Amino acid sequence: MASEELQGGDLHNQAPPPAPIPLPPYPEMILAAIEALNEENGSNKSSISKHIAKHIEATYGPIPPAHSALLNHHLNKMKSSGQLQFLKNNYLVPDPNAPPRRGRGRPPKPKAALPAGAPVLPPRPRGRPPKSHDPTAPPPPPKSAITAPSLSGRKRGRPPKAAAAGGAAAVDEAVAPNPPPAAGGAPPRGRGRPPKVKPVVTASLGA
């Protein structure tokens, strides 16, 4: 009984395990990994992931299960915000002293500075400006719906089709079957190639 009480007292007197050290933010670890790798053309995602995983295991303990997802999320976020540059599948920290990249298209022309007190004109609208009209000139005559006759005398448009009677006769002639052969004449030739004539073989009888 005494030993059991001692064991129970030892269990109650044991200190709780220390809480895990929280990880630093992923953007901070990504920048530290790129700086530590110090590659000339930047570091790819695999090198950054291995360096961060090795640092976490050596300092903070086991790697979190969502390490790859967190790394992808923060790399994309830092790339879109301008904290990282993505060039030839590598991530690198932008140089603050580098000139800004030129955008696409022709750069705008520099505008001349207006003198002090000059009126500011409104911007010109898009498209061709309308023609100037004389306010004292009479209005143009309205356009008539009657079209002028053509010079050749023919009416405009496609000519009408032939009469119904003539069209029906032409159709009947085209559809009519071949006429029957005349009496005593050769029968009409059928369609396709005529069959070959087979020679008649006569058997010779022996004496």
Side-chain angles (χ1 to χ4, degrees):
M1 289 290 293
S3 61
E4 291 179 0
E5 290 178 357
L6 289 175
Q7 290 178 0
D10 293 341
L11 292 174
H12 287 295
N13 293 334
Q14 285 181 356
I21 304 174
L23 294 176
Y26 261 80
E28 182 180 332
M29 291 192 292
I30 289 170
L31 293 175
I34 294 175
E35 185 179 355
L37 292 170
N38 195 20
E39 296 177 344
E40 182 179 358
N41 297 324
S43 304
N44 56 20
K45 185 171 65 176
S46 177
S47 302
I48 296 172
S49 177
K50 290 178 182 178
H51 187 276
I52 292 177
K54 190 181 298 184
H55 175 66
I56 290 175
E57 286 179 342
T59 309
Y60 303 99
I63 303 171
H67 169 68
S68 298
L70 289 170
L71 182 64
N72 290 336
H73 169 72
H74 286 284
L75 281 175
N76 293 332
K77 190 175 180 181
M78 294 173 73
K79 180 178 67 174
S80 59
S81 64
Q83 290 180 274
L84 291 178
Q85 286 183 352
F86 188 70
L87 184 64
K88 294 182 180 180
N89 208 23
N90 288 341
Y91 295 91
L92 62 156
V93 180
D95 186 5
N97 299 324
R101 295 183 62 183
R102 179 182 172 184
R104 297 181 62 183
R106 181 181 297 178
K109 296 180 180 180
K111 297 181 180 179
L114 296 176
V120 180
L121 299 176
R124 179 182 172 183
R126 296 181 64 183
R128 181 180 295 179
K131 296 180 180 180
S132 59
H133 297 284
D134 187 5
T136 59
K143 296 182 179 180
S144 61
I146 302 173
T147 57
S150 60
L151 300 177
S152 61
R154 290 182 58 187
K155 294 183 179 181
R156 299 183 63 183
R158 180 180 294 180
K161 294 184 178 180
V171 171
D172 292 340
E173 290 178 2
V175 179
N178 295 330
R189 180 179 175 184
R191 297 181 63 184
R193 179 181 294 178
K196 294 182 178 180
V197 179
K198 296 181 181 180
V200 179
V201 179
T202 56
S204 61
L205 298 176

